[in-house]
Amino acid sequence: MRKLRVKLKILPLLSVLVTLRVFTCCRRRDLTRSWQGDFGCSFIVYGRCHSQQRHHLAINCCPKNINMGNCCSSPKENASKASKQKVILHFDEDFPPNNSSYYGNDDDLNETITWMRASEIAQQNGKDPLFFDQHGASRFDVKQGKLGNCWFLAALSDLPMHPKLFKKVVDPDQNFGIDYQGKFRFRFWDFGEWKTIEVDDFLPTIEGQLRGVTSQNSGEFWSALAEKAYAKHHGNYAKALDGGFVAEALEDLTGGIGEEIIMAEISDHSDFFRRLLQAYKTRSLMSASILPSSSINDETGLASGHAYSLNKVIEFKLGNETVQLLRIRNPWGNSTEWTGQWSDGCQKWENLPSEIKDKLDFESKADGEFYISLPDFIEMFDQVTICHLSMDSIDKSANKWKMAELEGSWTMRSGRSGPYANLLPVLNDPQYLIELKDTDKDGFCTILVSVLQKSNDRNSYGSIGFEVFRVDDPAEELPLTANFFANCQIEESHQTQIRRAATKRLHLKPGKFVIIPHNYQKASGSEESTKRFLIRVLHEGRGSFKRLK
């Protein structure tokens, strides 16, 4: 450990000399972490691939999606007014520009982080600092740096394509102009509530360049500041961003429910494409991932242990052939792209009619974005995450999902709750009654059930799941008693796993059902404690949802 004296420059207006504690160690290069649950259920945490270090190509400026008006006012335009005032820029004492905000208590370090104001970084690059540039916000403003947070950036880069959601997370009325005070605010969904996070504009750098996410315009900082706010919300950069789940990032940015689809479990490719197309049409946000265990060849242009955004689903006729394509974006934002059929350099584009090209909004650029056919996608990728949104989140005409949610809590004892320990914990677990009335064309009701546990630490999740029981008999006593469990059959269940949320799509015949969430986490001591959770249900038709106990 060694102490360095680092000068933190606060524009030309203020200069502070502080002593920062900077640790050194080997660079973080681990791709993923695999966590093992109490019952042998393992899962993957996506991080940064080794090959990211080899690719730092600039990308071309692409059309933007959101016009933020005059939010990108240049500080030079207001220089005369600013010179008449002495501005004391905001310094975030709750998330100061030092080692604890970046690494926390991790001593395994070797990089010297220098914190610089966004304005200083921009000026060093010959730019004026901007929150948004003249084009507004775009998915191409999100280019992954040296952090292992592809899972978060794959979600963040989708936001500008959904203006209502974007403006809910990123306040557009912020800039580096007249009202600049060194403070920026963002909002994230957290356990049923939208929380505002304020940060100053000190950002971690190495040799004067951002260590985290960057924009295609080196003077634009909305994405870097959003990344910092998310890091503050979850503790620090290493704790919040170094490996994670796309589903959690999508939920935090939208308030929706993330559904994970394992490609190996898909039996009907046509039905799978219809689900993707329906999700795209209903404005759901999506991501695709490749497992670290994948034997994928580097020549394909794809990376294992990596998360991508999936931002377009389309099909069209080409002669007698029906072509089904997906548009994928690598958050690295460079030339590392798919090299197979329908890639940027594929000859198929040369023979494609211009009207179809326009519909696809195709441009051949080294920007990380590419098209891939459905068969190749299923072969190359291992998982898709769809974040389903309720009608209140987006344009109501585009989505028929309705959200019902209730908060509950488990009583944690020295033993465990859940149906497999003994009968008593089952009777003590909360019970929820749901009645389904309207069906799909196949005669079934489709719902999405998610049980989300409350935890301030991503590393302290309990092992959770839920069971669903049919209770159509009007004589059945509710809440369910020991007599029912003596001879019952489980209608549906979610395998217990150590995750923030247990989520599953259910296809049920109309009727009444009791959902019982459970948690296998032990109490920390001999005394009882409680752990809160949120149970959410997305459904399309008529129905009701209430707590029984």
Side-chain angles (χ1 to χ4, degrees):
M1 183 190 305
R2 58 195 181 96
K3 290 186 178 180
L4 301 180
R5 294 179 64 82
V6 180
K7 193 172 183 180
L8 301 181
K9 297 180 182 178
I10 311 177
L11 288 179
L13 305 173
L14 181 65
S15 181
V16 180
L17 190 64
V18 299
T19 299
L20 297 186
R21 189 179 300 267
V22 183
F23 297 96
T24 59
C25 82
C26 73
R27 176 170 295 153
R28 294 169 178 267
R29 295 176 60 85
D30 53 314
L31 306 186
T32 61
R33 299 193 300 272
S34 180
W35 296 349
Q36 194 76 16
D38 290 347
F39 300 92
C41 51
S42 62
F43 50 90
I44 298 302
V45 182
Y46 289 96
R48 172 175 54 82
C49 298
H50 292 276
S51 56
Q52 165 67 351
Q53 297 288 342
R54 301 196 299 266
H55 305 285
H56 293 285
L57 303 182
I59 63 173
N60 296 320
C61 182
C62 296
K64 304 283 183 146
N65 302 101
I66 297 178
N67 188 346
M68 294 300 174
N70 60 1
C71 293
C72 54
S73 302
S74 167
K76 287 185 178 179
E77 298 173 8
N78 305 298
S80 60
K81 181 170 182 177
S83 64
K84 298 177 183 179
Q85 305 177 36
K86 185 175 181 180
V87 180
I88 304 300
L89 298 179
H90 177 62
F91 183 91
D92 189 352
E93 296 182 356
D94 296 327
F95 199 66
N98 61 26
N99 194 72
S100 64
S101 295
Y102 196 88
Y103 291 115
N105 297 320
D106 193 345
D107 291 333
D108 184 25
L109 318 169
N110 81 337
E111 292 180 312
T112 300
I113 302 296
T114 302
W115 295 79
M116 300 170 65
R117 290 273 188 191
S119 55
E120 185 180 11
I121 299 170
Q123 290 165 7
Q124 187 167 276
N125 293 323
K127 302 273 189 174
D128 289 327
L130 305 169
F131 194 62
F132 305 109
D133 67 14
Q134 68 271 22
H135 300 291
S138 162
R139 61 189 183 275
F140 299 105
D141 297 336
V142 179
K143 297 176 59 180
Q144 185 178 352
K146 295 183 179 181
L147 290 167
N149 62 340
C150 57
W151 59 279
F152 173 68
L153 299 183
L156 182 65
S157 64
D158 272 350
L159 268 193
M161 301 179 67
H162 303 262
K164 182 178 178 180
L165 288 172
F166 184 86
K167 293 179 181 180
K168 196 164 191 173
V169 174
V170 184
D171 186 344
D173 297 324
Q174 305 181 88
N175 57 68
F176 287 88
I178 295 176
D179 299 325
Y180 169 63
Q181 296 181 347
K183 178 189 294 186
F184 294 87
R185 57 195 171 275
F186 300 84
R187 300 176 76 216
F188 303 108
W189 184 87
D190 183 1
F191 200 69
E193 299 178 349
W194 283 93
K195 292 188 176 180
T196 299
I197 306 296
E198 292 186 340
V199 293
D200 60 30
D201 64 336
F202 279 109
L203 295 169
T205 69
I206 295 178
E207 298 180 354
Q209 300 302 313
L210 285 172
R211 192 186 192 283
V213 66
T214 59
S215 171
Q216 59 184 347
N217 180 340
S218 60
E220 183 181 52
F221 291 97
W222 75 262
S223 57
L225 291 167
E227 181 183 65
K228 178 176 183 177
Y230 195 73
K232 177 182 177 180
H233 182 49
H234 287 284
N236 57 61
Y237 276 84
K239 188 175 184 179
L241 301 174
D242 189 17
F245 299 98
V246 184
E248 292 183 9
L250 287 169
E251 290 174 350
D252 292 347
L253 294 173
T254 67
I257 296 179
E259 177 189 14
E260 296 173 342
I261 302 172
I262 307 302
M263 310 299 282
E265 298 175 357
I266 297 172
S267 57
D268 187 335
H269 292 183
S270 296
D271 179 68
F272 172 64
F273 183 80
R274 285 194 297 270
R275 286 180 64 180
L276 293 182
L277 187 60
Q278 178 66 14
Y280 175 70
K281 289 180 177 179
T282 56
R283 310 288 292 163
S284 299
L285 279 71
M286 293 182 282
S287 172
S289 305
I290 301 175
L291 296 176
S293 58
S294 172
S295 58
I296 198 163
N297 193 315
D298 287 344
E299 295 179 357
T300 64
L302 303 176
S304 60
H306 196 45
Y308 298 73
S309 60
L310 196 172
N311 56 45
K312 196 178 188 71
V313 182
I314 193 168
E315 66 177 344
F316 55 89
K317 283 286 187 181
L318 191 60
N320 296 323
E321 179 188 6
T322 298
V323 180
Q324 297 173 326
L325 297 181
L326 309 176
R327 190 173 68 189
I328 310 296
R329 182 176 183 271
N330 184 344
W332 293 350
N334 56 25
S335 61
T336 309
E337 302 177 6
W338 165 244
T339 58
Q341 294 294 304
W342 292 105
S343 63
D344 282 10
C346 181
Q347 291 184 349
K348 287 181 177 291
W349 293 105
E350 298 178 5
N351 303 320
L352 202 63
S354 58
E355 61 270 18
I356 296 180
K357 271 189 180 180
D358 292 341
K359 189 177 181 180
L360 293 170
D361 191 24
F362 169 74
E363 291 184 273
S364 179
K365 291 186 175 182
D367 55 9
E369 192 164 83
F370 56 87
Y371 276 95
I372 186 171
S373 68
L374 179 68
D376 285 336
F377 177 79
I378 292 175
E379 179 181 357
M380 297 293 171
F381 286 81
D382 297 302
Q383 179 176 289
V384 167
T385 301
I386 303 176
C387 187
H388 301 278
L389 309 174
S390 67
M391 292 190 300
D392 295 333
S393 300
I394 54 176
D395 181 2
K396 294 185 178 181
S397 63
N399 198 330
K400 296 181 180 179
W401 283 111
K402 294 187 286 288
M403 176 87 77
E405 63 179 45
L406 292 169
E407 187 175 333
S409 62
W410 292 289
T411 299
M412 313 304 296
R413 299 178 175 81
S414 56
R416 299 177 176 183
S417 71
Y420 306 113
N422 53 59
L423 187 58
L424 183 59
V426 177
L427 299 178
N428 287 329
D429 282 335
Q431 299 182 18
Y432 297 85
L433 179 67
I434 183 169
E435 182 176 9
L436 304 175
K437 297 180 179 180
D438 296 335
T439 67
D440 302 327
K441 294 179 180 179
D442 59 3
F444 285 82
C445 305
T446 299
I447 63 173
L448 199 65
V449 177
S450 179
V451 177
L452 183 148
Q453 60 184 307
K454 175 66 174 177
S455 176
N456 295 324
D457 185 351
R458 289 175 56 204
N459 297 317
S460 65
Y461 295 148
S463 185
I464 64 173
F466 61 83
E467 278 73 43
V468 181
F469 303 91
R470 180 177 287 274
V471 288
D472 286 337
D473 187 350
E476 189 66 58
E477 183 179 354
L478 297 176
L480 299 177
T481 64
N483 291 333
F484 175 86
F485 292 111
N487 299 292
C488 70
Q489 287 188 338
I490 297 176
E491 187 81 11
E492 282 278 5
S493 65
H494 185 287
Q495 180 184 5
T496 302
Q497 60 182 8
I498 302 176
R499 288 287 298 274
R500 184 175 78 173
T503 302
K504 188 172 183 179
R505 177 184 292 256
L506 305 179
H507 299 279
L508 303 169
K509 285 288 187 180
K512 294 181 179 181
F513 303 87
V514 170
I515 303 174
I516 302 182
H518 53 82
N519 186 330
Y520 281 86
Q521 189 174 23
K522 294 181 180 180
S524 57
S526 59
E527 297 182 358
E528 293 185 359
S529 62
T530 60
K531 187 160 188 176
R532 297 163 59 200
F533 65 86
L534 193 67
I535 180 168
R536 301 191 289 166
V537 177
L538 277 176
H539 60 102
E540 292 186 356
R542 295 174 301 144
S544 61
F545 183 54
K546 66 179 182 180
R547 177 166 181 163
L548 294 175
K549 59 170 289 188

